Structures are given as structure tokens and as C-alpha cells.
Amino acid sequence: MKKFLVIILCSLFLFPLYAQEESQEEELQEEKPKKSISFARRHFEIGIDAGMGIDNNLFKGSEFLKKEILIDLTQLENDIGDDGWNINFDIPAGFFINIKNIKIGKGIWGFGFSSELDGRLNLNTPKSFFDLITEGNIEKRDFEGTFSASGRLFLGNGLNVSAKYGKLRLGVKPVIYTPLMFIPRSGIDYKFVTNESISMTTQGAIKVYTPVTEDGGLDLSLGADISLNGEYELLRFLDVGGSISNIPLYPAEMRNQTLYSLSGFNINIEGEELMGGNAPEMPPVKFDKKYVASDQRVFRPFKMDLYARYKPLSNEKLVIIPNIGFSVDINDVIGYFNAGVEGRLNLIDLFILSLSTGYEESIWIHKLGFALNLRAFEMDLAVSLRSEDFVGSFQAQGIGVNFGLRLGW
């Protein structure tokens, strides 16, 4: 009996101690940070992207939606700028495979392969041509200017390697690229004279390089460049980073040049013929083609960019990303200033909403993007307004659409 009482008393004294220890363990478990829910892919992903963009600096989008399009010459004269009428096309597309979050030593590494198509075309009609149309030759007898074009279409295949050690992440991307089309800045000069007679003369040509030879063969040329990027977590709510893209290693060499000219569109009408109603018929506007073998080194545009990632909530739910940088068209030796800001709302990587505005290579672009991510499958969609003129960009002088798909886990 005494033994039984001793056991009961010991149990009464020891139970509170056990309960206290269990309670402390539960408190410690509650203090451990719970693993947040996220639909982000952690191991690998495969994706495709495609898009297009077009803009001009003269006509608004609403004018093309009318049933009957009326051209007001007076308004046209007021709207046209000193640099004439510019039309810009962009065609971005790509495919990629990424393997993510591989632990090597004390770092977390990522490896990938990407194939990207980057196309751009710029066309310009001079202001003098619109002066001729809108004002006529009452006050001015001579008109001259240049119809110009420039453009590029590159196919690039590259490897992506990134490593994260603590707060620092670094990446490198070497690329082998092939120019599928290259148009150095070139144009056709015209001169229209209306004194005692009417004459129209043209000279020059738009130069177009392609891998297609005159006899229909294919002569592909390869070039190489490398891109570097890095990011550092400066504060809990602030990351800073930068990138240097398309550092030239060696250029592609193109030889197959086609010259497009209007050498057949030259007219001369004497005043007597015009007064007598015997003016000859206008020749058709037809481009003349001429194949020329001419060596041309071709580089992809060099770009440099600095950015910050401000996280007001100290996490990835809300991120504001301002950026500033520049790009250089090495082929035509033309530089551009670039700047912008993007806001991104991320709900556990399931819904991602983004809104951005920026100035890139002389074009204002305002973009709204949405992504639905189910981890195994993701769909991205973005639409944009764009124009060389800031006000015109809100008047639908240009639009863009981008679409992407991702698969992985």
C-alpha cells in the first residue's frame, strides 16, 4: 500500500513537469516559421513566348475603327512632325528549358537552354512628302527627302547559368546567333521639281542582307556574344541588380545583299505637254532588285541596365521595379536612353498581375500583364499601348500583344 501511495505521489509531482516540457515543445514548434504556400516551380520548367508590336507617330487607333476613313489634309499637316512618319514593328519570340535549385556546395545553381527570335523593322516617310500632299506647290516649287528603312531579325541559341550564394545571385549567358535579315539604315532619295516643267528623280537604295544567295542557296553566318547579370539583397525590402547584354565576342559576316531602288520611277513632263493634255502616263511604282556581294559585319544590340526591387511588405507579394540604362545599335552606331518602372502583385505565385511603363529605344510602352500559374502549367498574357510620342501612346497609336506558356514542376 505504501508503495502504491509513493507511486501516485511521484506521478502527481512528475506530471506537471512532463506537461510543462510538452507545452514548451509545442511553443517551440509554433515559433518555427511555417513553410509558405507557393505555386512556383522549384525543379524544372519548359516555356515558349511569342508576341508582336506595331506603332506609328501619326495616326490614332480610333481612326482605323471607323467605317469610313476620311483624311483631313489640314489636320495631317498639323500632326506630322519634323522627322516625318515613322512606323515600327517588333517581333519577339522564344523557347527555353530551365533546371532550377540545384545545390552545389554552399550555393544554389540553375542551368538552362534558350532559343530566341528577335525582330525589328523601322520605316520612315519624310515630312517633305506630306508637305507636297497637304500644301501643294503654290508656295514651294522643289521637294526632296529620303524614304528610309532599318531592321534586323536574329535567331539566338544560348546557355543560361546562374548561382546564388547567400544574398548574391550571378548569371551568365553565352549565345551563338544567326542573322536571318539585316537592313542597315539606308534609303531612297527623291527630288520633285515643279518649275517650268515637272520632274521626279530618285537615287539610292534600301539595302537588305539575307542568308539566301542569288541562286536560291543558303549561306548562314554565325556570331557570338555573352550577357552578364547580377542581383544583391541590400536590405530585407530592397534588392539591387544590373545586366549587361550582348557583349560582342565576334560578329556574324553577311555577304548576300539585295538593293531595292526606284530607278525606273523617273519622270519629266514639259509644260507644253501638260498644257496640251499630252502628258505621258505615270510609270508604275515598282521596286527594282539588284543582287550584290558585299561583306557586312552584324552585331546584336548592346544593352546595359540597372534596376532596384523595392518590396514594401518585405516579401514578393508586392514588388516595385524601377530601371534605367541604355542600348547601342553597334551596326549603325546609334545610342538610346532607356528607363521605366514596373509594379508586380504576386499572390503565392498563383496569380501574378503586372503594370509597367517605360521608354525603350525611342518608344514609349505601357504594358498590363497577367499570369495564371498552377505550377505544372502557367499561362501569361500581356497587352500594351505604344508610340514614339508619350501622349500618342495613350491614344492607341500603337499596340502590342505577348503570350507565353510554361510547363514544369
Side-chain angles (χ1 to χ4, degrees):
M1 184 70 178
K2 290 181 179 180
K3 293 180 179 180
F4 181 73
L5 291 173
V6 171
I7 294 173
I8 293 176
L9 291 173
C10 291
S11 299
L12 292 173
F13 280 107
L14 293 174
F15 180 77
L17 296 176
Y18 172 78
Q20 182 180 4
E21 182 180 358
E22 186 178 29
S23 176
Q24 290 176 348
E25 289 179 357
E26 290 177 353
E27 290 177 1
L28 289 174
Q29 289 178 355
E30 290 177 356
E31 291 176 358
K32 291 181 179 179
K34 294 182 179 180
K35 189 175 182 181
S36 60
I37 300 174
S38 175
F39 283 79
R41 285 172 294 283
R42 303 182 186 277
H43 304 293
F44 73 95
E45 63 180 355
I46 301 173
I48 59 171
D49 294 292
M52 62 79 64
I54 180 173
D55 65 85
N56 82 109
N57 64 339
L58 183 57
F59 298 105
K60 303 177 181 64
S62 59
E63 298 176 7
F64 295 99
L65 300 178
K66 297 178 181 178
K67 186 176 181 180
E68 295 183 358
I69 300 176
L70 300 177
I71 299 178
D72 187 339
L73 295 181
T74 303
Q75 186 64 39
L76 186 64
E77 180 184 358
N78 295 330
D79 291 343
I80 192 70
D82 292 337
D83 57 344
W85 182 29
N86 295 320
I87 304 176
N88 307 297
F89 298 90
D90 284 329
I91 307 175
F95 165 80
F96 64 86
I97 301 174
N98 290 327
I99 301 175
K100 312 171 71 174
N101 300 321
I102 301 174
K103 292 184 178 181
I104 301 177
K106 296 183 179 180
I108 300 176
W109 290 68
F111 302 91
F113 167 81
S114 63
S115 181
E116 300 172 349
L117 191 68
D118 172 31
R120 185 166 191 180
L121 178 64
N122 309 105
L123 304 173
N124 173 264
T125 301
K127 183 179 184 300
S128 59
F129 180 76
F130 289 92
D131 291 340
L132 174 61
I133 295 175
T134 57
E135 299 177 5
N137 66 336
I138 297 177
E139 298 182 358
K140 187 177 180 181
R141 299 293 182 177
D142 299 345
F143 299 86
E144 59 183 325
T146 303
F147 296 88
S148 63
S150 64
R152 62 181 185 253
L153 181 61
F154 292 107
L155 176 62
N157 298 294
L159 299 176
N160 306 309
V161 180
S162 65
K164 188 176 187 302
Y165 284 84
K167 297 181 179 182
L168 178 64
R169 180 191 60 80
L170 297 174
V172 60
K173 181 180 179 181
V175 172
I176 301 295
Y177 66 88
T178 302
L180 302 179
M181 181 193 69
F182 174 63
I183 305 175
R185 191 171 297 273
S186 53
I188 299 174
D189 302 325
Y190 85 94
K191 188 171 184 179
F192 189 77
V193 180
T194 60
N195 290 324
E196 297 179 356
S197 62
I198 296 176
S199 66
M200 172 83 169
T201 57
T202 63
Q203 63 179 0
I206 295 176
K207 305 173 183 178
V208 180
Y209 288 87
T210 67
V212 181
T213 61
E214 186 175 0
D215 57 4
L218 196 61
D219 181 19
L220 293 174
S221 176
L222 300 179
D225 54 40
I226 190 169
S227 300
L228 307 174
N229 62 81
E231 186 175 289
Y232 183 76
E233 185 182 344
L234 187 63
L235 299 169
R236 187 177 180 182
F237 59 87
L238 180 65
D239 303 334
V240 293
S243 64
I244 305 176
S245 304
N246 306 337
I247 304 171
L249 296 179
Y250 65 88
E253 296 277 353
M254 303 191 77
R255 289 183 52 81
N256 305 300
Q257 181 189 80
T258 304
L259 302 177
Y260 291 89
S261 66
L262 289 173
S263 57
F265 191 74
N266 293 323
I267 59 176
N268 187 19
I269 304 175
E270 297 294 337
E272 296 178 356
E273 294 179 325
L274 193 62
M275 295 295 292
N278 299 320
E281 294 184 2
M282 295 286 289
V285 180
K286 182 180 179 182
F287 284 101
D288 301 306
K289 294 171 56 177
K290 181 180 179 181
Y291 293 94
V292 178
S294 176
D295 293 335
Q296 173 70 49
R297 300 197 308 170
V298 182
F299 299 88
R300 296 204 302 170
F302 173 83
K303 298 180 181 180
M304 187 172 182
D305 189 65
L306 298 175
Y307 66 88
R309 301 180 75 253
Y310 171 57
K311 298 172 285 188
L313 306 178
S314 297
N315 56 37
E316 296 294 327
K317 291 182 180 179
L318 177 62
V319 182
I320 300 172
I321 310 171
N323 73 286
I324 188 171
F326 65 90
S327 56
V328 178
D329 185 340
I330 303 175
N331 304 297
D332 291 322
V333 196
I334 299 176
Y336 302 93
F337 170 77
N338 305 322
V341 63
E342 177 184 1
R344 189 178 300 166
L345 180 64
N346 186 336
L347 302 179
I348 62 174
D349 289 302
L350 177 62
F351 298 103
I352 303 172
L353 185 67
S354 63
L355 180 64
S356 66
T357 182
Y359 186 68
E360 184 173 354
E361 295 191 9
S362 75
I363 298 176
W364 286 98
I365 302 177
H366 315 291
K367 183 181 294 186
L368 175 64
F370 173 77
L372 173 62
N373 176 27
L374 303 176
R375 187 171 184 181
F377 171 79
E378 177 183 338
M379 181 180 67
D380 299 349
L381 180 63
V383 293
S384 60
L385 297 175
R386 46 183 287 163
S387 175
E388 291 184 359
D389 181 68
F390 182 74
V391 176
S393 63
F394 293 100
Q395 297 174 335
Q397 287 187 341
I399 59 171
V401 178
N402 297 85
F403 179 74
L405 291 176
R406 282 103 173 91
L407 302 173
W409 194 252

